[in-house]
Amino acid sequence: MQKHNFSAGPCILPQSVLQKSAEAVLNFNDLNLSLIEISHRSKDFVEVMDNARNLALEHLGLQNKGYQALFLQGGASLEFLMVAYNLLEKKAAYLNTGTWSDKAIKEAKLLGEVVEVATSKSENFNFIPKNYTVPKDADYFHCTSNNTIFGTQMQSFPETKIPMVCDMSSDIFSRQLDFSKFSLIYAGAQKNMGPAGTTLVVVKEDILGKVSRVIPSMLNYKIHIDKESMFNTPAVFPVYVSMLTLQWLKDLGGISAIEKINNQKAELLYNEIDRNPLFEGFVTKKEDRSKMNATFNLRNDQLKATFDDHLKQTGINGLNGHRSVGGYRASMYNALPLESVQVLVDIMQSIEKGA
Amino acid sequence: MQKHNFSAGPCILPQSVLQKSAEAVLNFNDLNLSLIEISHRSKDFVEVMDNARNLALEHLGLQNKGYQALFLQGGASLEFLMVAYNLLEKKAAYLNTGTWSDKAIKEAKLLGEVVEVATSKSENFNFIPKNYTVPKDADYFHCTSNNTIFGTQMQSFPETKIPMVCDMSSDIFSRQLDFSKFSLIYAGAQKNMGPAGTTLVVVKEDILGKVSRVIPSMLNYKIHIDKESMFNTPAVFPVYVSMLTLQWLKDLGGISAIEKINNQKAELLYNEIDRNPLFEGFVTKKEDRSKMNATFNLRNDQLKATFDDHLKQTGINGLNGHRSVGGYRASMYNALPLESVQVLVDIMQSIEKGA
């Protein structure tokens, strides 16, 4: 049975990418060797790494603008620490919009003062705070562009002269932004970019080298830049699959092309959530709704068994909400076809009709 | 053409493992979903992680002995830092046997005093120092069991009452040792265990929690243990392939079975290096020779082009020595068949005969 994969991450990837990845595990570049058993210093893999780094910058429009792209390990969780290690001298400003912001703040506090400029924590993060002030004397401002768990997404970013750092793990490459406003962007691969196991870091070089502490080698962005993202053995397979996914996106027309499809998917689902009396959205302010992760609930819990059964019968996978929100969460990452959203909407409508 | 893969790492993996890994990328456990697009919290993947952790302890004979196995990210290079973060309160003792020991020492020095108990650095690490004293008042003793670059391997370990920490990246699961002598063992997967992108850490729980510093979450072994190696999204594919490789080793008869084959391979090659007047080994003391990585040179540089040509013609891959040693390095990890070593020896003999 065909599956409709709404998983929150790791998540759906393009079929053509999966096909090529499987082939490379058996025989890479016609070498008669597997991708995962050759040296990461071989010409064939260095080319993969270079392509992946270039494609990332190209998609974000950040080529030749003083930025470097790195493929590191440890996920966004290690970036929470690395950002502070590399940038936090005295004070940093954080916007707290969810579980991941909260964790980023916790790690940063180990290395300096953290000012929380605003938070929606008391409302279980069901909206994005606005009208906050970013202190001018902070070393940097940190925010999370999309909150996977709660289904909120920042639609605008503050104007500030201090470096802006953004965790874009769950919406990078899904929509057009002026990425040059950010001095550092990081993202775990396992949403729109590839499989779990590698983390993209895009950093403007001129913000580095300004803290007085000695930074451990593996946490030091400068070292990773100097070694062209190969200070130590990189996560070969995850980087390769990310490269293929970035190439797939380019062939499709890039971020602007996928954004149109992502808008269609989000509109289709949110329209149904708003129209259908059986459902309600979790996010209180519609302008804060995420186009990647739609969180919603059945108003009547007694329909849960029937709804879940319909989901199962139609091959819908990964729709359970996160435990801190409950209900349902439809993650509609780049590789999810519009057709899958239509299947979900059809079920919501048939439940309404009592089918 | 069939390849004989002597790569130093990432390196050869069993064909059956590559086959199953490729299948899982297309359709995992008959879910009609790829291994790399399902949640790491799904029943199917949690089972993979549990299996991998259990198999690692089982192979090392460390089940029910107070040890925990973790599959982390960042490679041995991040462990250099984590070991010190978690264990170094005042002073640590390090044996310096090569590039990787040297790097481990560098990171540890950021967190406390490091006593280098012995080193062979002045001789370009061409032997393993012996007869050193491990200070009784150090927090731990750290060593590297096998030095991939130089081709040396520790055949015995000091008797000490302080916790012994060992980087076994390049010879774990290749030979029987009394692993209970070690309080912490770590190993990047990309030699005998799997593809690049995950790191095995086996740690005795009772050595943790004794330092006074606050440890950042991602560097804290206790947190990873509490979260059963899923504090954040693990490197799904590398963990899965590692699990398959550990299962392959178990089906083969475990470490004791593979050790016999590894001994045969090493004997075959070293006998030829010693017998054949055209070649000389790099390691000065034969008892320090590594059974994983044999480093050797042509005595007459003028034969290099011919030898290299023969290697290419017979499909031998990855035999170039590391730049800090030069010459040749034959890495004979678990998955390399005896037959591949025979092919190499045949070439060495035909060169001698002037063929």
Side-chain angles (χ1 to χ4, degrees):
Chain A
M1 183 210 290
Q2 196 209 327
K3 290 291 174 78
H4 302 284
N5 189 1
F6 286 88
S7 286
C11 68
I12 188 164
L13 291 170
Q15 271 302 319
S16 62
V17 167
L18 295 175
Q19 195 68 48
K20 280 180 202 160
S21 305
E23 283 164 19
V25 169
L26 295 174
N27 182 4
F28 177 54
N29 278 4
D30 278 326
L31 296 172
N32 265 338
L33 289 166
S34 166
L35 166 74
I36 62 177
E37 58 173 7
I38 61 168
S39 170
H40 58 293
R41 308 268 177 213
S42 64
K43 185 181 71 59
D44 291 88
F45 185 74
V46 169
E47 203 174 285
V48 169
M49 178 61 94
D50 289 347
N51 277 348
R53 297 175 72 201
N54 288 334
L55 281 165
L57 290 179
E58 189 182 334
H59 279 303
L60 301 175
L62 294 178
Q63 282 178 315
N64 306 315
K65 289 185 178 170
Y67 288 83
Q68 291 277 352
L70 302 169
F71 282 85
L72 306 180
Q73 292 185 59
S77 294
L78 191 59
E79 293 313 310
F80 300 161
L81 180 66
M82 286 177 73
V83 163
Y85 243 116
N86 284 268
L87 302 179
L88 178 46
E89 181 72 14
K90 286 190 178 154
K91 188 168 84 173
Y94 278 69
L95 175 65
N96 190 351
T97 56
T99 307
W100 303 108
S101 304
D102 220 34
K103 290 187 179 216
I105 289 168
K106 187 184 164 204
E107 301 306 314
K109 279 182 175 168
L110 298 177
L111 294 158
E113 185 192 345
V114 172
V115 179
E116 204 174 282
V117 297
T119 181
S120 47
K121 197 171 188 171
S122 64
E123 304 299 315
N124 199 20
F125 299 116
N126 65 12
F127 71 98
I128 300 279
K130 284 139 210 135
N131 303 319
Y132 48 86
T133 307
V134 177
K136 287 178 190 157
D137 61 341
D139 297 319
Y140 61 92
F141 167 71
H142 180 283
C143 57
T144 313
S145 56
N146 185 73
N147 301 282
T148 333
I149 293 176
F150 304 97
T152 60
Q153 189 173 32
M154 292 177 76
Q155 306 303 340
S156 66
F157 295 84
E159 294 295 328
T160 173
K161 284 182 178 164
I162 66 172
M164 186 147 61
V165 177
C166 190
D167 176 359
M168 295 195 187
S169 291
S170 53
D171 68 354
I172 196 163
F173 304 124
S174 73
R175 60 173 173 170
Q176 205 51 264
L177 291 173
D178 178 359
F179 295 100
S180 70
K181 281 189 172 178
F182 302 89
S183 295
L184 195 154
I185 296 165
Y186 62 89
Q190 67 270 16
K191 317 283 184 179
N192 280 322
M193 194 169 49
T198 188
T199 319
L200 173 66
V201 175
V202 175
V203 57
K204 204 166 181 187
E205 277 197 86
D206 65 10
I207 67 165
L208 300 176
K210 295 186 175 169
V211 292
S212 54
R213 72 176 62 83
V214 179
I215 305 169
S217 306
M218 277 295 285
L219 306 183
N220 191 333
Y221 292 128
K222 259 185 167 315
I223 286 182
H224 290 293
I225 290 170
D226 289 346
K227 298 294 182 179
E228 298 178 330
S229 209
M230 297 252 223
F231 170 65
N232 69 337
T233 314
V236 166
F237 181 82
V239 172
Y240 177 69
V241 183
S242 298
M243 186 275 280
L244 291 180
T245 311
L246 292 170
Q247 185 60 54
W248 166 85
L249 180 59
K250 186 176 173 177
D251 296 343
L252 208 84
I255 293 180
S256 60
I258 202 79
E259 186 175 19
K260 282 184 198 141
I261 305 171
N262 287 337
N263 284 342
Q264 287 172 359
K265 291 185 286 184
E267 200 184 339
L268 178 60
L269 182 56
Y270 282 120
N271 280 348
E272 181 61 20
I273 291 171
D274 290 340
R275 187 206 60 75
N276 192 321
L278 299 186
F279 295 92
E280 64 182 338
F282 169 78
V283 177
T284 50
K285 297 182 182 169
K286 288 188 184 176
E287 71 270 23
D288 296 337
R289 282 173 162 176
S290 166
K291 286 177 178 162
M292 291 288 101
N293 318 92
T295 44
F296 59 99
N297 237 308
L298 270 167
R299 289 181 193 265
N300 180 354
D301 257 2
Q302 294 187 317
L303 289 172
K304 185 170 161 45
T306 317
F307 187 54
D308 288 352
D309 189 53
H310 273 64
L311 296 175
K312 204 174 168 187
Q313 296 303 327
T314 43
I316 287 182
N317 177 67
L319 207 77
N320 279 339
H322 190 272
R323 62 186 177 281
S324 46
V325 172
Y328 299 93
R329 170 174 52 175
S331 296
M332 301 173 284
Y333 296 116
N334 284 356
L336 186 86
L338 181 62
E339 177 214 346
S340 291
V341 181
Q342 188 61 58
V343 169
L344 173 58
V345 166
D346 289 348
I347 296 175
M348 294 166 80
Q349 293 181 351
S350 62
I351 293 281
E352 185 192 8
K353 287 173 196 148
Chain B
M1 184 211 292
Q2 196 208 329
K3 289 291 174 78
H4 302 284
N5 188 1
F6 287 88
S7 286
C11 69
I12 189 166
L13 290 170
Q15 272 301 319
S16 61
V17 166
L18 296 175
Q19 195 67 47
K20 281 180 201 159
S21 306
E23 284 163 18
V25 168
L26 294 174
N27 182 4
F28 177 52
N29 279 2
D30 279 326
L31 295 172
N32 265 338
L33 289 166
S34 166
L35 166 75
I36 61 176
E37 56 173 8
I38 61 168
S39 170
H40 58 293
R41 308 268 178 214
S42 65
K43 186 180 71 58
D44 291 86
F45 185 73
V46 169
E47 205 173 285
V48 168
M49 179 60 93
D50 289 348
N51 278 347
R53 296 175 71 202
N54 288 333
L55 281 164
L57 291 179
E58 190 182 335
H59 279 304
L60 301 174
L62 294 178
Q63 282 178 314
N64 306 313
K65 290 187 178 167
Y67 288 83
Q68 293 277 353
L70 302 168
F71 282 85
L72 305 180
Q73 292 186 57
S77 294
L78 191 59
E79 294 313 311
F80 300 160
L81 180 66
M82 286 177 73
V83 163
Y85 243 114
N86 285 266
L87 303 178
L88 179 45
E89 181 72 15
K90 283 189 180 156
K91 188 168 86 174
Y94 278 68
L95 175 65
N96 190 351
T97 56
T99 308
W100 303 108
S101 306
D102 220 35
K103 289 187 180 216
I105 289 168
K106 187 185 164 204
E107 301 307 313
K109 279 183 174 168
L110 297 178
L111 293 158
E113 186 193 341
V114 172
V115 179
E116 204 174 283
V117 296
T119 180
S120 46
K121 197 170 189 173
S122 63
E123 304 300 314
N124 200 21
F125 298 115
N126 65 12
F127 70 100
I128 300 278
K130 281 138 214 139
N131 303 317
Y132 47 85
T133 309
V134 177
K136 288 177 189 158
D137 62 341
D139 298 318
Y140 61 91
F141 168 70
H142 179 284
C143 58
T144 313
S145 57
N146 185 74
N147 301 282
T148 333
I149 293 176
F150 305 95
T152 61
Q153 188 174 31
M154 291 176 77
Q155 305 303 341
S156 66
F157 295 85
E159 294 297 326
T160 173
K161 285 183 177 161
I162 65 172
M164 187 149 60
V165 177
C166 189
D167 175 358
M168 293 194 188
S169 291
S170 54
D171 69 354
I172 197 163
F173 304 124
S174 75
R175 59 170 174 172
Q176 205 50 265
L177 290 173
D178 178 0
F179 295 100
S180 70
K181 282 189 172 178
F182 302 90
S183 296
L184 196 154
I185 295 165
Y186 62 87
Q190 66 271 16
K191 316 284 184 178
N192 280 321
M193 194 169 51
T198 188
T199 319
L200 173 66
V201 174
V202 175
V203 58
K204 204 167 182 187
E205 278 197 86
D206 65 10
I207 66 165
L208 301 176
K210 296 185 176 170
V211 293
S212 54
R213 71 175 63 83
V214 179
I215 306 170
S217 306
M218 277 294 286
L219 306 183
N220 191 334
Y221 292 128
K222 260 186 167 310
I223 287 182
H224 289 294
I225 290 170
D226 289 347
K227 299 293 184 181
E228 298 178 328
S229 209
M230 296 252 222
F231 170 67
N232 70 336
T233 315
V236 166
F237 180 82
V239 172
Y240 177 69
V241 183
S242 298
M243 187 274 280
L244 291 180
T245 311
L246 292 170
Q247 186 60 54
W248 166 84
L249 180 58
K250 186 177 173 177
D251 296 344
L252 207 82
I255 293 180
S256 60
I258 203 77
E259 185 175 21
K260 282 183 201 143
I261 305 171
N262 287 337
N263 285 342
Q264 288 173 358
K265 290 186 287 183
E267 201 184 338
L268 178 60
L269 182 56
Y270 281 121
N271 280 349
E272 181 62 20
I273 291 171
D274 290 341
R275 187 206 60 75
N276 192 321
L278 299 186
F279 294 92
E280 64 182 337
F282 170 76
V283 177
T284 50
K285 297 181 181 168
K286 287 188 183 176
E287 70 272 21
D288 297 336
R289 280 173 164 177
S290 166
K291 285 175 179 163
M292 291 288 102
N293 317 93
T295 45
F296 59 98
N297 236 308
L298 271 167
R299 289 180 192 267
N300 179 355
D301 256 3
Q302 294 188 318
L303 289 172
K304 185 170 162 45
T306 316
F307 186 53
D308 289 353
D309 190 53
H310 274 63
L311 295 174
K312 203 173 169 188
Q313 297 302 327
T314 43
I316 287 183
N317 177 66
L319 207 78
N320 279 339
H322 189 274
R323 61 185 178 281
S324 45
V325 172
Y328 299 94
R329 170 173 52 174
S331 296
M332 301 173 284
Y333 295 116
N334 284 355
L336 186 85
L338 182 62
E339 178 213 345
S340 290
V341 181
Q342 188 61 59
V343 170
L344 173 59
V345 166
D346 288 349
I347 296 173
M348 293 165 81
Q349 293 182 350
S350 63
I351 294 281
E352 185 193 8
K353 288 173 196 148

